[in-house]
Amino acid sequence: MDLVTQYIINALSLGGVYALIALGLAIVFSIFGFINFAHGELLTLFGYALFFSLAAGLPFPIAVVVALIACMACAIAMERIAFRPLRGANPMTLLVSSFAISGALQVIFQIAFGTMPKPLNLPNYLTGAFNIGGVYIGAAQLISIVTVAVLALALNLFLNGTRFGLSLVASAQDFDVAKLMGIRVNAVYALAFAISGFLAGVAALLWIAMRGSVSPDMGFNPLVKAFVATIVGGMGSLTGAVAGGFFLGILEVALQIALPADYLIFRDALILAILIGFLLFRPRGLLPAAAMPVK
């Protein structure tokens, strides 16, 4: 029973990280109609910002805040420099632009910081473990589950209870009508990217707490998993992105347990095969959006 509980916690913590990244992707997609593949580099940027903030002697909480601000600022800069000039362009053009930004940032990270992983000295409350009812739970896992729950609730309250949040929701449902109603387009664009940058930063912190280091390609693997989670959950659906992230985390941990050691190298391929089969029966995902973005 204790082992089952441990597996459930592992699945929830891993799925929570995927859910946060998928949520950042879904927010941008719900308004712009494209997946921002440079989102993974925001995770990497957070890691390096945290690394150098700690190296400069900043206390860990302040270093996290600095890294989050850097992550959000970079996301806003992406929108302002790369995507705003392409407003109204074909979504495929925006998609290609995001790939270009992703590749450019990876090269910059490699040239500036090297290709070797850089270990981070994390506080004990992120690397330790708790004994709850005979089950040892990693601090990072517990913090991951709690953080995802709190952020999901806070984001729901923000989107449904504030003027800026309602502007985002209205823009996601019908962007053209939202503009006619007087919603400030530039503010909505910047806010969407700022939120996605914040979510990427929090997800990066949880991911780093699990692996303990940062490297130029750190954001690639979780981004791909989150992209899959976004599709499985339902493109353009924020609730679906969260559901898809947890679904993928549970599936990944389940296969890690079920597959023999010699076949673990096929785990990701098997996950994709299962998800493709799932989409054949439910092509719009677990919780599809009520309406796709109208541009």
Side-chain angles (χ1 to χ4, degrees), residues 121-293:
N121 294 320
L122 301 176
N124 292 332
Y125 57 79
L126 277 180
T127 58
F130 302 98
N131 186 347
I132 302 178
V135 178
Y136 283 92
I137 304 174
Q141 295 174 319
L142 186 61
I143 292 173
S144 174
I145 296 171
V146 174
T147 300
V148 173
V150 171
L151 282 181
L153 178 60
L155 185 60
N156 181 67
L157 293 174
F158 171 77
L159 292 176
N160 296 292
T162 67
R163 183 168 60 88
F164 285 112
L166 292 173
S167 296
L168 276 174
V169 174
S171 299
Q173 292 176 348
D174 195 319
F175 199 79
D176 293 330
V177 172
K179 287 192 294 184
L180 293 175
M181 296 297 293
I183 291 177
R184 292 185 297 171
V185 174
N186 290 340
V188 170
Y189 272 59
L191 180 61
F193 271 87
I195 293 175
S196 72
F198 176 78
L199 293 173
V202 175
L205 176 61
L206 299 176
W207 188 258
I208 290 171
M210 295 178 186
R211 55 179 281 164
S213 64
V214 58
S215 60
D217 60 349
M218 184 191 80
F220 177 76
N221 186 56
L223 174 72
V224 172
K225 298 291 181 66
F227 172 57
V228 173
T230 304
I231 296 175
V232 171
M235 295 293 285
S237 170
L238 303 186
T239 307
V242 175
F246 280 110
F247 180 76
L248 184 61
I250 292 171
L251 182 59
E252 191 169 314
V253 172
L255 289 178
Q256 184 77 23
I257 300 168
L259 290 176
D262 294 339
Y263 293 93
L264 284 177
I265 58 174
F266 302 109
R267 185 194 62 183
D268 288 347
L270 185 56
I271 289 174
L272 291 177
I274 293 172
L275 296 179
I276 289 172
F278 168 80
L279 291 173
L280 289 175
F281 292 97
R282 197 172 178 83
R284 294 192 62 197
L286 289 169
L287 300 168
M292 296 299 287

Side-chain angles (χ1 to χ4, degrees), residues 48-86:
Y48 281 118
L50 181 62
F51 175 83
F52 286 107
S53 296
L54 292 174
L58 293 179
F60 184 78
I62 297 178
V64 170
V65 173
V66 170
L68 280 174
I69 293 174
C71 203
M72 294 172 67
C74 182
I76 295 173
M78 278 185 193
E79 183 276 325
R80 182 64 183 88
I81 298 171
F83 298 124
R84 188 177 297 184
L86 298 175

Side-chain angles (χ1 to χ4, degrees), residues 4 19 27 36 69 91 106-108 118 146 258 266 270 287 292:
V4 173
I27 287 175
N36 179 19
I69 293 174
Q106 282 197 30
V107 171
I108 291 172
K118 294 186 180 297
V146 174
F266 302 109
L270 185 56
L287 300 168
M292 296 299 287

